[in-house]
Structures are given as C-alpha cells and as structure tokens.
Amino acid sequence: MGEWIENGPGGSRAYLATPGSGSGPGVLVLHAWWGLTPTFADVCDRLADAGFVALAPSLYPDGATTANIAEAQALVDVHDQSTEVAEAIINAAVDELRHSPAVRGEALGVVGFSMGGYWSLWLSQNRPEDIGAVVTFYGGGGGEFSSARAAYLGHFAEHDDFEPLDGVRALEESIRAAGRDVTFHVYPDTGHWFFEANRPDVWNAEAAALAWERTIAFLNAQLS
C-alpha cells in the first residue's frame, strides 16, 4: 500500500500511503524522536485503510532511526540545532500533499507523536491556510494560536515526565482562548509513548485503541 519517496532538502525520504480508492483527504504524520521507524509508517498504512492519503517525512535529513532512548536524545540534540532544516522538510511535505492529485479537500490534517506533536502545533500556526485538523499524541508546545484555523485533538498520558498535566492543561486553555476548537483526552494509568506497540514497557493496548478510534472520527469530521 505504501511507498518510499524523496521529500524535501537533500532528497530526505518519506513514506506515502494511499487508500485503495486512490484518493482521500491528506494527512501528514510527524514521528517521535525515534525517527521514521516502521511504527510511524504503519500509522500511514492505517490512515490509508481509513480512507486518507498519509505522508510521513523523516525529520532527520539522514533518515536516522533508533529504538534506544540515549541515541534518540542524541538525535534530538542535533535536530534542535538545525530546526530550519526540519521546518524545510515539513513545509516540503505539506507542499507534496497539496499538489498531489490523490488528495481531496481544501485542508490537510496532521498527526504528530511527542516531538512530532510539537511540530504539528507549530505547523498549524505557520501554515494556517493549509492545516484544518491537528492531532497530537503526548506532544506539547507553545506559540500563538490566534492565526490558526485548525481544530485540535490531544491524547496525553496520566503519568508523563515529558509532558506534565499542568502544561497540558495550560496548552489546552491557550488554544481555547484563541477561539479554536480543542479537545484533550488524558488516558488513566498510561505513560509517554503509550500508543506505540513497539514500546512494550509503556504500550497500553486499550488506551491506544481508544485514541485511534477518536483520531479517525476527528479527522473524518474535520476533513471530509
């Protein structure tokens, strides 16, 4: 169903999945600090099964991936020193979807995980005319949302050292105060990465299934 394509500066790679019908609303998938691993390619395939054209760019120009926390932190440290490269990659991915004949509809969705959740929020502020729906999995951020046009759905863990609930609630109120539609869910007895089945130490099958059900319903409501 999916295929690897070149996207953005330096020919960095991306994974593109198209529904069996050949067309559908466009959704960008932004990975966590592990890089563009099979977990996030699988998210694209699942979105395609639900009727969406899904594109996941590698936010690391060299396509690096890891399953190790220490190595992931090192990748993020390099990433944080060259955010303009990540911005160029994300903008190129948006343009790829916008110009794809397979993509239907006026606005795109974006689904981000952890680090990718931060970039999803950033994108909605910097490309407001293109982004109609944002889903963030345990990823927060700041900024000014008054110019955004998107609706927001958040999935957060009850126990999360990376995204404490005080910050999650403050983000939710900031988005709401800007006049945007926002719903954040907190999943009991979960931790960071609870959606990712390849993290058996924290994966929560019940919470992951519910979050996915809510995500598909939200994307259908906002993009159809």
Side-chain angles (χ1 to χ4, degrees):
M1 180 184 300
E3 60 177 327
W4 292 98
I5 65 171
E6 290 188 357
N7 168 79
S12 57
R13 69 175 191 159
Y15 186 80
L16 175 66
T18 304
S21 64
S23 65
V27 178
L28 199 65
V29 175
L30 301 180
H31 61 72
W33 67 352
W34 316 111
L36 183 49
T37 64
T39 294
F40 304 107
D42 180 65
V43 170
C44 290
D45 288 337
R46 293 174 69 185
L47 284 167
D49 285 341
F52 300 95
V53 178
L55 176 65
S58 173
L59 302 181
Y60 303 141
D62 61 359
T65 63
T66 184
N68 179 279
I69 289 178
E71 292 176 357
Q73 183 62 67
L75 289 173
V76 169
D77 289 344
V78 174
H79 169 84
D80 288 347
Q81 294 170 19
S82 56
T83 56
E84 69 278 0
V85 175
E87 292 174 7
I89 290 171
I90 293 168
N91 280 318
V94 171
D95 293 339
E96 178 78 24
L97 284 176
R98 293 302 273 161
H99 295 114
S100 170
V103 172
R104 301 196 315 262
E106 295 298 318
L108 303 174
V110 55
V111 180
F113 297 84
S114 194
M115 179 183 79
Y118 163 84
W119 282 114
S120 299
L121 298 169
W122 173 89
L123 184 59
S124 71
Q125 298 167 61
N126 286 271
R127 298 283 296 261
E129 70 282 2
D130 293 310
I131 305 303
V134 173
V135 182
T136 178
F137 282 80
Y138 36 81
E144 173 55 61
F145 293 92
S146 60
S147 64
R149 303 178 189 175
Y152 296 82
L153 175 67
H155 305 297
F156 292 92
E158 182 180 19
H159 308 292
D160 193 336
D161 292 336
F162 294 95
E163 293 293 342
L165 289 182
D166 286 350
V168 169
R169 294 308 184 198
L171 173 61
E172 184 179 24
E173 288 307 312
S174 175
I175 295 172
R176 183 171 290 113
R180 306 315 308 157
D181 180 11
V182 55
T183 301
F184 281 3
H185 298 284
V186 175
Y187 295 80
D189 300 319
T190 59
H192 207 76
W193 308 309
F194 72 82
F195 183 81
E196 299 167 40
N198 66 324
R199 308 297 304 180
D201 52 329
V202 288
W203 178 55
N204 185 303
E206 183 178 356
L210 179 57
W212 185 253
E213 178 183 332
R214 287 167 166 167
T215 294
I216 296 302
F218 173 77
L219 292 173
N220 276 322
Q222 300 300 325
L223 302 179
S224 297

